[in-house]
Amino acid sequence: MFAALLVPAILACATTFTRAGETTIGVTLNGTIGTHSEAVGGSATLPLIPVPIFRIEHREGRFSLFLEGLPPIGPIGYVNPAPGTASGTKIGMLDGALRYALPSRRAWIGMGETVINQTTTYAPILASFPAGSYTVNLVADGVDASRVVGARYEIGANLLTRGSQRLDLSVAASPSMHARLAQTGTVSSSSDEPGFVPRTTIRFTTTAETASLVDAHAGWSVIRGRSTFSAGLRYLNYAAKFDDGTEADRNRVLLPFVGWSTKL
């Protein structure tokens, strides 16, 4: 659903915005370096994989409308998951903001929204116990899914301009994000007892959670005609907790990136 909405939205915006002002579309390819942790199961190292983030921006005077999205990727597996702990996550992200350039034109502020879709799978737990002269086997696993939404506040600045080259820095924060975490678990039983009927029980619960996100971005870019080539670093620090204060999950990710964009 995320991808189905994002692509038409970008195409529709691009078609409309090219009639006035200045519209830029582009993509960055980001490497993932970081960790994922939960209150139960400890911390796991994320694998290094290429992650595409698509973006579009339209400028009218001092105002600009910015939208970027990470289509759902994954599940991204974790290193050596223990039984019952997170073993992989599928994640998608969409954020956008209305930005305003300050009088100097070298700094801007913005306000918008951040949406994070996340589905985490858990490594199965296997258990066996005697039942008379027979053995009963149990397999339990689970999936957590959430859509976390919150207001986004941004500030950015052009630190250096030299000919066709420039250095930019921005920091965004979504300090109060909210979600309902849907938890689905299954327990399957089997036995070597003659006539035993295998059974599967499904458990479904929802839990409220709150989260915060810090998104920092530093990039060096070079303009060549209508195209801009860029490289830099992006840092994401995401923390979520349940209403009772316990940690839901924590992600700290450093994203070195290269990018390309073009004016329409």
Side-chain angles (χ1 to χ4, degrees):
M1 181 179 295
F2 182 93
L5 292 174
L6 176 62
V7 174
I10 289 179
L11 293 177
C13 289
T15 302
T16 301
F17 289 157
T18 50
R19 299 170 186 168
E22 180 182 276
T23 302
T24 303
I25 60 172
V27 61
T28 60
L29 193 61
N30 306 258
T32 54
I33 303 173
T35 59
H36 168 86
S37 64
E38 298 187 9
V40 178
S43 179
T45 301
L46 298 175
L48 179 62
I49 61 173
V51 175
I53 297 179
F54 300 91
R55 55 180 58 198
I56 181 172
E57 183 175 15
H58 178 72
R59 296 180 182 274
E60 288 281 358
R62 290 189 181 180
F63 289 93
S64 65
L65 182 62
F66 177 81
L67 177 70
E68 69 174 356
L70 166 66
I73 61 170
I76 303 170
Y78 304 138
V79 176
N80 299 323
T85 62
S87 61
T89 294
K90 184 176 183 179
I91 188 168
M93 180 176 173
L94 176 68
D95 66 77
L98 178 64
R99 296 173 173 176
Y100 175 75
L102 300 179
S104 67
R105 299 281 181 151
R106 298 194 64 177
W108 52 264
I109 56 175
M111 181 176 179
E113 189 171 74
T114 301
V115 181
I116 299 175
N117 292 316
Q118 183 171 287
T119 301
T120 300
T121 55
Y122 290 84
I125 298 176
L126 309 178
S128 298
F129 59 90
S133 58
Y134 303 100
T135 301
V136 174
N137 305 300
L138 299 178
V139 179
D141 57 17
V143 176
D144 290 354
S146 63
R147 174 174 295 164
V148 192
V149 181
R152 180 182 181 91
Y153 308 96
E154 303 180 337
I155 184 170
N158 169 232
L159 303 182
L160 176 67
T161 298
R162 182 180 300 166
S164 62
Q165 304 179 57
R166 58 182 291 157
L167 175 63
D168 295 286
L169 176 68
S170 66
V171 178
S174 295
S176 182
M177 305 179 74
H178 301 273
R180 296 292 299 184
L181 176 67
Q183 299 173 300
T184 303
T186 61
V187 178
S188 300
S189 60
S190 62
S191 175
D192 57 1
E193 179 182 0
F196 184 90
V197 179
R199 292 183 293 271
T200 298
T201 302
I202 300 176
R203 174 184 56 85
F204 178 81
T205 60
T206 61
T207 307
E209 63 177 359
T210 58
S212 62
L213 173 71
V214 174
D215 182 358
H217 180 284
W220 181 271
S221 58
V222 179
I223 300 174
R224 291 288 184 268
R226 300 181 66 85
S227 294
T228 299
F229 301 90
S230 60
L233 289 173
R234 187 169 183 172
Y235 174 70
L236 299 176
N237 191 324
Y238 173 79
K241 62 181 180 180
F242 298 115
D243 282 355
D244 61 5
T246 58
E247 182 181 83
D249 63 87
R250 183 73 178 267
N251 299 288
R252 302 177 182 90
V253 187
L254 184 66
L255 302 167
F257 69 85
V258 293
W260 168 84
S261 63
T262 184
K263 296 179 182 179
L264 299 180

